[in-house]
Amino acid sequence: MLGKVILDMDPGIDDALALLLALSSPELDILGVTAVAGNTTIDKTGVNARRVLEYVGKDGIPVFLGASAPLARPLSTAEHVHGSDGLGDAGIPMPVQPPRGGGIQFIAETIRKYPGEVIVIATGPLTNIALAYTLYPSTPRLVKQLIIMGGAYHLTPYGRGNVTPLSEFNIYTDPEAAKIVFESTAPLTCVGLDVTTNPSVKIDPQRYREISRLRGRKAELASKIMKYQIERFGEVEVHDALAVAAAMQPAMFQMVEMNVQVLTNNDVSRGATIPFKPKEGGRGRARICIDINSEEFMRLFLEKVSEA
Ligand code: BDR
Ligand code: CA
């Protein structure tokens, strides 16, 4: 068993794929899912996490609602990318059980209960994490590791922004929260657009057809929700699934240790993540992914999604 995990997410098509990958990984002991507002509103992201869990028969994993808006700004959502329901408007059934409240408390209390053991994988705006870090100050010291999908570091040809030329969606949505997270001392791994938009890890129409032919509830769900993006964009970017892969198989990634400044201005630089080298002899606070073994990732993803 690799370890205890909390998934903090805003499902979202690729968050749902990340959840499916995590659920197929016996080495990850998923203690709970916390929902945050991002791709769509908190009422939908929480329900979507439950829809995914119940669709694949994992009803026992609890879902907790966290923050309904960024720390200091109004919420701007991305239904144009994920569908009006956040899961590609594919008619995935509504859950039997609703999500519970208390997401931020759940994150902090779980980390305190298992000091040094819990990995948090955050694939939405960092609002819940920043609140857990500030309202419960022992959290950053006691968390084993935080792995985020977020940031555009301009360290590879793919590391450009997807909301502005500089900024990635999760960081752009709540830059104040991201700043708190990047300035904390908690061990941090960043899976940003530098690797997630590498064309070799995208689901193209051919890979989509392969997945559509697979049997089993997970593959069925994956192909239903991905259809929305295949039809509109001709491909699916599976960003958040790579953050789960970084927890499962970190050796699949090449990383550099750097510090990161998050820009919180109200101009075109909002949400930019600027990496800079630590002082001579020092270590960077964040491990930033700059390359991925895409063949291994695709093999892992297809194998896990095809499991019954
Ligand atoms: C990130 O933004 C969201 O739309 C996706 O779910 C992913 O977490 C990619 O920039
Ligand atoms: Ca997400």
Side-chain angles (χ1 to χ4, degrees):
M1 180 67 69
L2 183 74
K4 300 180 178 16
V5 165
I6 295 172
L7 297 163
D8 182 74
M9 48 174 51
D10 61 336
I13 291 172
D14 59 323
D15 300 81
L17 299 173
L19 183 50
L20 288 179
L21 180 58
L23 290 170
S24 310
S25 310
E27 62 271 42
L28 302 184
D29 177 12
I30 305 173
L31 303 176
V33 177
T34 52
V36 66
N39 285 322
T40 184
T41 49
I42 186 73
D43 52 328
K44 291 188 195 165
T45 59
V47 161
N48 287 349
R50 290 250 22 114
R51 291 165 90 189
V52 172
L53 290 169
E54 293 188 13
Y55 196 93
V56 299
K58 296 280 184 179
D59 312 36
I61 297 177
V63 176
F64 302 88
L65 299 180
S68 59
L71 295 184
R73 299 167 189 264
L75 176 66
S76 51
T77 54
E79 280 96 357
H80 55 292
V81 180
H82 297 272
S84 66
D85 74 342
L87 288 183
D89 297 325
I92 308 303
M94 281 298 160
V96 175
Q97 268 182 45
R100 312 173 189 179
I104 291 143
Q105 214 175 346
F106 173 78
I107 295 170
E109 280 175 1
T110 308
I111 290 170
R112 199 164 45 206
K113 186 166 166 197
Y114 302 107
E117 285 188 58
V118 180
I119 297 174
V120 178
I121 305 173
T123 59
L126 291 165
T127 324
N128 287 349
I129 309 300
L131 286 168
Y133 280 12
T134 48
L135 298 176
Y136 305 85
S138 64
T139 310
R141 189 166 38 82
L142 299 179
V143 69
K144 181 175 182 185
Q145 196 192 166
L146 172 67
I147 302 175
I148 67 162
M149 188 284 132
Y153 302 95
H154 298 261
L155 294 171
T156 78
Y158 316 111
R160 296 180 300 268
N162 60 359
V163 180
T164 74
L166 292 175
S167 311
E168 181 278 329
F169 177 81
N170 290 335
I171 309 297
Y172 178 89
T173 302
D174 196 344
E176 283 74 19
K179 191 172 167 62
I180 290 170
V181 168
F182 276 95
E183 288 178 358
S184 90
T185 53
L188 176 65
T189 299
C190 306
V191 181
L193 298 176
D194 297 72
V195 286
T196 70
T197 56
N198 183 324
S200 61
V201 291
K202 292 183 183 181
I203 304 291
D204 58 17
Q206 193 193 322
R207 279 178 179 151
Y208 176 71
R209 279 193 294 276
E210 272 173 50
I211 296 172
S212 308
R213 283 195 289 265
L214 297 171
R215 286 165 193 271
R217 294 291 276 180
K218 284 175 193 151
E220 190 182 293
L221 179 63
S223 105
K224 281 188 177 181
I225 62 176
M226 286 195 290
K227 191 165 183 260
Y228 183 91
Q229 293 184 343
I230 287 284
E231 284 175 354
R232 279 159 188 80
F233 312 122
E235 62 182 21
V236 179
E237 295 181 336
V238 298
H239 309 282
D240 296 345
L242 273 82
V244 172
M248 293 164 66
Q249 296 191 21
M252 206 184 263
F253 294 82
Q254 193 189 329
M255 305 182 192
V256 288
E257 286 189 349
M258 296 183 88
N259 292 319
V260 175
Q261 184 171 0
V262 180
L263 302 188
T264 55
N265 308 325
N266 273 321
D267 56 22
V268 70
S269 70
R270 166 181 166 176
T273 40
I274 316 287
F276 58 98
K277 288 210 171 91
K279 288 203 186 102
E280 189 83 35
R283 296 187 67 178
R285 285 209 184 123
R287 295 192 301 166
I288 303 173
C289 295
I290 53 165
D291 204 2
I292 177 166
N293 184 330
S294 43
E295 271 177 32
E296 264 186 48
F297 171 75
M298 286 316 307
R299 200 179 320 123
L300 176 81
F301 184 75
L302 294 176
E303 178 194 308
K304 294 296 186 186
V305 165
S306 60
E307 278 173 12

